[in-house]
Amino acid sequence: MKRVEKITKLLPGEGEFLENAEASENEESLENAVSPENEEFPENTEFPEFPEYAESPKYTEAHELTEIVSRMSPTGLHIYFPDGDARRFWRNVRNGEEYAADLAEIRAEGDRLRGAAWPDLTYSLFSQFAQTGSRLAYERAYFERRRRLNTYALLSLLEPECEEHHTELLEAIWRVCSEVSWCLPAHVSPERPLAETIDLFAAETGYTLAELSVLLGDRLPEMLHVHIAELVYGRLLKPFVESGPYEWEEAEHNWSAVCAGSIGSAALLLLDENQDRELLARILEKTQHSMTCYLKGFGDDGACLEGLGYWNYGFGYFVYYADLLYKRSRGELDWFAQTKVKTIAGFQQKCFLGGSAVVNFSDALPYGSVHIGLSHYISSTYASVPPPPSRLRADYREDHCSRWAPALRNLLWRGLSAEVQDWEPGDFLLKDAGWLISRTVSPKGVFGFAAKGGHNDEPHNHNDLGQFMLAGDGAFFLSDLGCGEYTKDYFGLARYTYDCNGSQGHSVPIINGGLQMAGRARTASILEQTSSGVETRMAVELSRAYDCEALLSFKRSWLWSKVELPGLELRDVFAFSSKPLTLVERFVTLIQPEELGEGRLLLSRSDLALELVYDQWQLQAEVKERIYRDHFGKDQVWYTLDFHVLQPERHLELSFLFQFIRQ
């Protein structure tokens, strides 16, 4: 009997499933529990089969999937390695020059972790979020445990002859299996029992363990194969089918892709196409529905409103699941044939403004990298999507927990397409998102400009209609603060008091002392969006963003001139029913400005600078240093460049010129 068939046969029935035991502190006891000598259970050991699930109108499509499931290819190493020869693949990785940096990073992590104490996930840490709203302490410990599991899993696969790596891996699997919950405290609610809660990280953990069970094969003791299967069933598969629906099942953002994709992938890896046909069909029907909802969150332009980081995350897990589904279904279930998926796949390269600077509207980081495996897979699938420059490859240690699924595929999928020196220049008009992105290359350097319309009820929303950014030589001159530290308040009623989320932290006006408001009705209307070889234009109507009765119209327009040293002209035209008391134009930068006088400010980075020119007779400049707390819990300095209108009138036209210069 194949091991995967054995594993599914050993899964628990409808009544009880093995509860999570605490990890033993007795090393001898643990060694006996997982030693190869104790790999097999006695021949007379009996294990219940999966329960039969009654037909339900809620899952009518699952019945149609049953026939496809019956024709599925069995799970095995052939899914990962073209010829099924894992040893040859890992040997080639060890010896291949293109993998040298990856291996150095993974081994360095192994050296760092060797001998280090395992961080405990204590009740006091778990309860901090409920008591204080802070997430960092528990999540640091949690992610360190995942990094340890993933690092030693890769090292054990890369160097199977090293007993130390494998011993560390078995310990890591045991400890992760022994966690009371795989969920983060921020995602736990008293409205649902902890045992039935499924969040991003619980789903990811189950997927990781299921994949390790397949990849390690006979190197993993039978008891751990069984224990993994029991836990994945009890914590993911069973509640997914019986305890839903979960809010994320119909989410139009990364949660649906990551949670459902991970659960669907775990089911495809652990469930047998013959013995567990009905259950697998049921899970796939629900997973397919969630993936449809995920894709609904994208317009026809393929833009991810959550930003590049969440594209990597959500679309990454969509691709990992879709690839596995395609291979197991022998091509019958093919998400990649959809035009919309192809369009979404082309989003990544549009985000880069030069170097590693990326468009970071919403809760996104200002500098990005590419998941090299995911990028090569997409490029090999769609001829219209260029492969990535190798210099943008994400370091294995960059992700806070070195997530297993992308880390593995950064090695598995590296050779699927060629590499390029850099992204080509281009203008990208994303009409559904209301974004304009321009990457300009000239003998003087690489320059980037991005501006947005949209609405103020987007995923990871910021109140930022009319926000824009400028980059040169791979660094920002006008910035978006991006994502701050995630806390309870950050996703609560106080969200827009955080400078990185409210319009006070964006390059948009403050009208009559009022900021932009949140909500789907707070939307921008695109008036113009055009591009040519020499210039790019966009104009938007933004009056609905503000709660100002006297504001009749607010038209903002950008003219980006793509000369050797590009320049941007910003023009704001306001119409009021009565004179406003105050009107302030605000721009955001991380560079301390230099005041040159005569209506000029200078933002300098090395030999490249951005000169800001304004009408000093119309506007009074004020520069203020401020502090915000970034995504990693560190205080960062930023500056507001405020331009106060000296004589507000019912009709106002304000212009600013931002010109790049070499010093």
Side-chain angles (χ1 to χ4, degrees), residues 136-429:
L136 287 179
Y138 184 89
E139 291 181 9
R140 283 194 183 110
Y142 180 101
F143 294 146
E144 184 74 353
R145 292 168 71 95
R146 293 304 180 273
R147 192 191 290 273
R148 194 160 188 146
L149 169 67
N150 300 335
T151 299
Y152 281 109
L154 288 173
L155 286 172
S156 184
L157 290 168
L158 284 162
E159 301 170 358
E161 70 284 353
C162 180
E163 292 185 10
E164 182 182 2
H165 293 337
H166 199 60
T167 299
E168 290 282 0
L169 172 59
L170 297 180
E171 175 74 10
I173 291 173
W174 184 261
R175 285 182 180 264
V176 169
C177 286
S178 299
E179 292 171 1
V180 173
S181 172
W182 291 335
C183 298
L184 297 185
H187 301 154
V188 171
S189 167
E191 297 175 4
R192 186 182 290 274
L194 185 60
E196 296 176 4
T197 302
I198 302 174
D199 75 342
L200 299 163
F201 296 96
E204 285 183 46
T205 299
Y207 177 20
T208 299
L209 293 172
E211 197 151 64
L212 287 175
S213 186
V214 173
L215 290 174
L216 291 168
D218 291 339
R219 296 182 63 213
L220 190 67
E222 189 69 16
M223 191 208 71
L224 286 183
H225 277 297
V226 175
H227 193 38
I228 286 170
E230 288 173 328
L231 289 174
V232 172
Y233 172 69
R235 294 187 177 191
L236 297 182
L237 307 187
K238 185 174 187 287
F240 185 49
V241 170
E242 296 184 355
S243 303
Y246 291 85
E247 287 186 7
W248 48 258
E249 289 189 49
E250 295 193 340
E252 297 181 3
H253 52 70
N254 69 85
W255 272 72
S256 53
V258 176
C259 293
S262 293
I263 294 170
S265 296
L268 286 165
L269 291 168
L270 292 181
L271 299 186
D272 180 73
E273 65 276 7
N274 296 312
Q275 295 174 340
D276 311 307
R277 187 181 304 171
E278 296 294 331
L279 177 59
L280 181 53
R282 185 70 54 86
I283 290 171
L284 290 181
E285 185 273 328
K286 287 171 66 65
T287 302
Q288 295 287 85
H289 176 68
S290 289
M291 292 307 186
T292 300
C293 293
Y294 171 67
L295 295 180
K296 284 181 181 177
F298 295 85
D300 291 336
D301 60 12
C304 178
L305 299 180
E306 298 177 287
L308 178 63
Y310 282 105
W311 178 91
N312 269 319
Y313 190 28
F315 191 62
Y317 275 84
F318 173 90
V319 169
Y320 311 147
Y321 164 75
D323 169 73
L324 187 56
L325 181 70
Y326 180 83
K327 289 173 179 173
R328 279 219 65 190
S329 70
R330 305 178 195 268
E332 288 192 68
L333 297 172
D334 183 8
W335 281 105
F336 299 109
Q338 291 197 15
T339 300
K340 193 170 193 179
V341 174
K342 177 181 178 181
T343 307
I344 296 167
F347 174 71
Q348 176 175 241
Q349 76 271 14
K350 298 172 184 176
C351 291
F352 283 83
L353 298 174
S356 61
V358 298
V359 177
N360 70 316
F361 302 130
S362 184
D363 278 344
L365 296 173
Y367 297 95
S369 55
V370 302
H371 290 176
I372 202 81
L374 172 65
S375 301
H376 279 291
Y377 184 95
I378 291 170
S379 182
S380 70
T381 304
Y382 303 113
S384 61
V385 179
S390 58
R391 61 178 176 76
L392 292 176
R393 177 192 66 87
D395 189 301
Y396 170 72
R397 299 158 294 191
E398 182 178 306
D399 182 31
H400 52 210
C401 53
S402 297
R403 282 184 175 86
W404 168 257
L408 172 67
R409 285 155 183 82
N410 284 339
L411 303 177
L412 284 178
W413 293 345
R414 176 69 57 81
L416 294 181
S417 66
E419 293 183 351
V420 296
Q421 288 298 112
D422 212 338
W423 304 115
E424 292 291 327
D427 292 335
F428 309 105
L429 310 178

Side-chain angles (χ1 to χ4, degrees), residues 614-663:
Y614 63 97
D615 184 347
Q616 63 178 325
W617 305 110
Q618 189 180 28
L619 299 163
Q620 174 69 50
E622 178 189 17
V623 175
K624 189 169 184 179
E625 180 181 300
R626 301 174 185 269
I627 301 289
Y628 85 104
R629 201 162 179 83
D630 71 11
H631 189 58
F632 307 101
K634 297 180 179 178
D635 288 342
Q636 299 290 351
V637 174
W638 63 291
Y639 299 89
T640 51
L641 313 182
D642 285 348
F643 296 87
H644 301 263
V645 176
L646 296 175
Q647 294 182 325
E649 300 289 344
R650 287 177 56 194
H651 296 279
L652 285 168
E653 183 171 329
L654 306 174
S655 296
F656 299 86
L657 177 63
F658 303 89
Q659 179 63 55
F660 282 105
I661 58 175
R662 287 288 179 189
Q663 301 185 102

Side-chain angles (χ1 to χ4, degrees), residues 461-524:
N461 183 66
H462 291 188
N463 290 341
D464 62 350
L465 306 188
Q467 165 71 351
F468 67 103
M469 59 191 73
L470 285 170
D473 286 352
F476 282 101
F477 287 79
L478 290 183
S479 296
D480 192 303
L481 300 180
C483 50
E485 179 186 351
Y486 286 1
T487 64
K488 183 185 290 187
D489 283 344
Y490 191 90
F491 292 101
L493 295 177
R495 178 172 180 82
Y496 300 109
T497 64
Y498 289 79
D499 289 338
C500 49
N501 301 333
S503 68
Q504 70 272 18
H506 295 84
S507 294
V508 297
I510 301 169
I511 302 175
N512 256 349
L515 303 173
Q516 291 188 15
M517 306 298 289
R520 186 62 180 83
R522 309 297 179 167
T523 185

